[in-house]
Amino acid sequence: MEKKKILIITYYWPPAGGPGVQRWLKFAKYLPEFGWEPIIYTPENPSYPLLDESLLKDVPRDLKIVKTTIWEPYQLAEKLNKSNKKFKAGQFDVGKNQSWKSKLSIWVRGNFFIPDARVFWVKPSVKFIEHYLKENKIDTVVTSGPPHSLHLIGLQLKKKIPTLKWIADFRDPWTEISYYKHLKLTKRSDQKHRKLESDVFKNADITLATSYTDAENFRKNGANAVCITNGFDESDSTEKVKKQKGEKAGWTDGEFVKSQNPETADSQTLKSSNPQTHFTLSYIGVLEQLRNPENLWKVLDHLVQTNSDFAQHFSLKFAGRVDDKILEALNGSSLKNHILDLGYISHDKAIEEMQTSDILLITNFPNESSKGIIPGKIFEYLATGKQIISFGPDKADVSKILEDTYAGKHFSYEDFDAVQSFIVQKFELWKKGNLLENTQNIEQFSRRNLTKKLSEILG
């Protein structure tokens, strides 16, 4: 039986790094099993905030990838102000960390590039894709955002070809995402953002959300919304990873050395070849100021100062890109000599670092509107069986997942005593060798099962 064709319009594609690329990379990997032939449309010359060459191995050899050139102003913006590089990943300096250059750059980004700086790819892409769809007899298209300008490609194609089946995939919300309020928008710009978002919701045949709350909110705003969360790929949990579990190559027991990460060359990092000698709490991924769990750092700082047993064994590990202001503050605390900063590492290595940790940290934006955000890394965390400590707004979707899978606990950013109690409890269990891996009910989040659900929605 001939497979049905589906064109996937995505900005993020290997060698791009980070969680944004993995959603449709994994869907494309498994869609052929369910009767679909995916075709990828992506920029020829994108400006990615992160690169991860290891993800290239997940690209199916027979997958058709179509590319066209894109013009985007980020490279110029980075020359004017190095902190502008954060914008590509939706990160901002906030509060006292904002210089006048940052404030100006944020204002320009929010009011001149609507919905984002990739908007200049819309017009040429519509012209190219309209012809490509007809020539290749494709009647189903997916647009994946952010960048949400890609949804404008779908919107214009839908108006030109009313019979086109268009799926708008929102990996993150548009106007409800936490950093939206930091864009310094004029009233007119805000109205334009919301009008475009509404047009997408009302014209897309299906709007995909990555969380239960987002799907509900999208439906309230006129979208035919369905939730398909992100997930974990069983093939990532290789025998190699399992063998390396408990090993940290190249570390020397108990030795304090200078970090090899050039961006944090002044920080001290703790190294150990034996994970049993260190109780390790790890954050894997990108951590920006808007999701900084300052109260957790206070708890850990307090425990290091008041509990000599904890201080002897505790290690705080970062694997990914951590905002320099966060690292600067941590290195000015008692945690300085307990930090291992690996810098950005490949996805494969990230999986290994998860396996060699005792508690995995996940953070979300603290405001109520972000309770529907489910960071993609939580599913890979679940696959390790490790305990998870989460921070974000009350009654968050992440909390529901942790409760359903018995994988850890969710806290608000104001908690102190409860967080300290959780950390101490897990530390005592670790000392006795009883910090068990007891994750349950996670099969629903496997990439293959999620792709099956997607194929059923596509029809």
Side-chain angles (χ1 to χ4, degrees):
M1 182 177 176
E2 187 176 356
K3 289 183 171 64
K4 293 172 283 187
K5 296 179 180 180
I6 180 170
L7 182 71
I8 300 165
I9 303 171
T10 179
Y11 181 84
Y12 294 103
W13 191 255
V21 67
Q22 296 177 45
R23 181 169 172 85
W24 285 97
L25 174 62
K26 299 299 185 178
F27 280 144
K29 177 180 178 180
Y30 290 112
L31 272 169
E33 295 184 17
F34 303 99
W36 288 89
E37 178 189 344
I39 301 167
I40 304 299
Y41 176 75
T42 195
E44 177 74 44
N45 56 324
S47 180
Y48 292 141
L50 299 170
L51 295 176
D52 186 349
E53 300 284 347
S54 75
L55 292 175
L56 288 167
K57 75 179 189 316
D58 273 341
V59 179
R61 292 185 179 180
D62 58 349
L63 180 66
K64 185 177 293 185
I65 302 175
V66 181
K67 298 182 178 182
T68 63
T69 57
I70 183 175
W71 180 82
E72 50 186 321
Y74 275 126
Q75 292 179 338
L76 175 61
E78 287 172 32
K79 291 180 181 179
L80 296 175
N81 184 4
K82 289 184 178 181
S83 66
N84 288 340
K85 187 174 183 180
K86 299 178 183 180
F87 292 178
K88 293 188 290 188
Q91 300 175 39
F92 302 90
D93 286 332
V94 296
K96 63 183 180 181
N97 294 322
Q98 274 191 2
S99 66
W100 71 267
K101 286 185 178 181
S102 293
K103 292 178 181 178
L104 177 61
S105 298
I106 292 169
W107 185 86
V108 171
R109 179 254 187 261
N111 293 283
F112 280 78
F113 306 124
I114 298 176
D116 50 66
R118 278 81 181 219
V119 70
F120 301 100
W121 198 44
V122 174
K123 186 175 181 179
S125 292
V126 171
K127 182 178 179 180
F128 174 86
I129 294 173
E130 183 182 8
H131 176 72
Y132 188 86
L133 294 176
K134 293 176 181 177
E135 189 177 64
N136 292 275
K137 298 180 180 179
I138 301 171
D139 58 12
T140 304
V141 166
V142 172
T143 56
S144 183
H148 293 307
S149 54
L150 272 63
H151 296 314
L152 303 188
I153 299 175
L155 182 63
Q156 292 189 27
L157 288 171
K158 183 69 173 179
K159 291 179 178 178
K160 288 176 176 289
I161 313 172
T163 58
L164 181 70
K165 188 169 186 178
W166 170 34
I167 294 88
D169 177 56
F170 281 74
R171 301 190 317 278
D172 287 316
W174 186 332
T175 62
E176 294 302 319
I177 197 165
S178 286
Y179 64 71
Y180 181 80
K181 66 182 180 182
H182 294 280
L183 293 177
K184 304 183 185 299
L185 299 175
T186 65
K187 183 177 180 180
R188 184 177 179 181
S189 296
D190 176 59
Q191 290 174 340
K192 186 173 182 180
H193 274 282
R194 294 183 186 279
K195 174 65 166 57
L196 291 172
E197 179 187 47
S198 178
D199 288 346
V200 170
F201 283 155
K202 292 175 181 177
N203 285 277
D205 294 277
I206 300 169
T207 297
L208 293 182
T210 57
S211 75
Y212 319 115
T213 297
D214 282 352
E216 182 180 348
N217 290 338
F218 294 167
R219 285 191 289 268
K220 290 178 181 178
N221 287 289
N224 178 25
V226 179
C227 174
I228 298 184
T229 67
N230 288 306
F232 63 89
D233 192 344
E234 300 95 327
S235 65
D236 289 338
S237 299
T238 61
E239 287 302 314
K240 177 182 177 181
V241 171
K242 293 176 181 177
K243 288 180 181 179
Q244 291 183 342
K245 185 177 180 180
E247 298 178 4
K248 301 182 182 179
W251 292 14
T252 55
D253 190 29
E255 180 185 359
F256 292 90
V257 300
K258 288 284 186 182
S259 169
Q260 298 305 304
N261 180 2
E263 294 184 1
T264 57
D266 292 331
S267 65
Q268 296 283 336
T269 56
L270 174 63
K271 298 193 172 184
S272 170
S273 61
N274 183 358
Q276 297 308 312
T277 65
H278 288 96
F279 175 66
T280 304
L281 188 153
S282 299
Y283 183 91
I284 314 293
V286 178
L287 182 60
E288 72 267 41
Q289 294 170 34
L290 292 173
R291 295 188 294 109
N292 181 23
E294 293 181 347
N295 221 28
L296 173 64
W297 310 142
K298 291 178 182 177
V299 167
L300 296 175
D301 181 76
H302 175 73
L303 287 173
V304 164
Q305 293 188 60
T306 61
N307 186 325
S308 59
D309 195 19
F310 185 85
Q312 180 182 351
H313 294 97
F314 178 66
S315 174
L316 175 60
K317 178 169 68 178
F318 293 110
R321 179 171 292 173
V322 183
D323 189 278
D324 54 355
K325 296 292 193 301
I326 297 176
L327 286 175
E328 183 181 325
L330 288 173
N331 282 315
S333 73
S334 299
L335 295 173
K336 177 179 181 179
N337 293 331
H338 298 266
I339 297 172
L340 171 64
D341 179 23
L342 300 177
Y344 187 77
I345 58 178
S346 71
H347 182 246
D348 286 350
K349 288 292 183 182
I351 297 294
E352 293 176 16
E353 294 301 333
M354 293 178 197
Q355 295 279 6
T356 57
S357 303
D358 299 296
I359 298 181
L360 295 168
L361 167 63
I362 194 164
T363 66
N364 200 347
F365 302 105
N367 50 297
E368 179 70 15
S369 63
S370 298
K371 69 178 185 178
I373 295 177
I374 305 175
K377 74 165 109 338
I378 190 174
F379 302 104
E380 292 178 330
Y381 279 8
L382 289 175
T384 68
K386 302 293 185 177
Q387 282 289 291
I388 300 169
I389 183 170
S390 168
F391 290 87
D394 291 334
K395 299 180 181 178
D397 286 6
V398 167
S399 180
K400 180 180 185 302
I401 291 175
L402 293 179
E403 290 173 2
D404 290 348
T405 57
Y406 302 92
K409 196 163 183 179
H410 179 79
F411 298 93
S412 74
Y413 279 94
E414 290 72 36
D415 285 331
F416 185 93
D417 292 341
V419 172
Q420 179 170 274
S421 177
F422 178 86
I423 297 293
V424 171
Q425 178 192 47
K426 300 306 176 184
F427 175 62
E428 293 299 326
L429 288 172
W430 172 84
K431 285 197 301 180
K432 298 174 182 177
N434 293 330
L435 190 57
L436 303 178
E437 301 174 6
N438 58 354
T439 303
Q440 301 176 29
N441 307 321
I442 67 170
E443 298 82 7
Q444 59 185 309
F445 300 118
S446 76
R447 293 286 188 182
R448 180 178 277 107
N449 285 337
L450 292 168
T451 306
K452 180 181 179 182
K453 181 179 179 180
L454 173 63
S455 70
E456 293 167 352
I457 291 171
L458 293 174

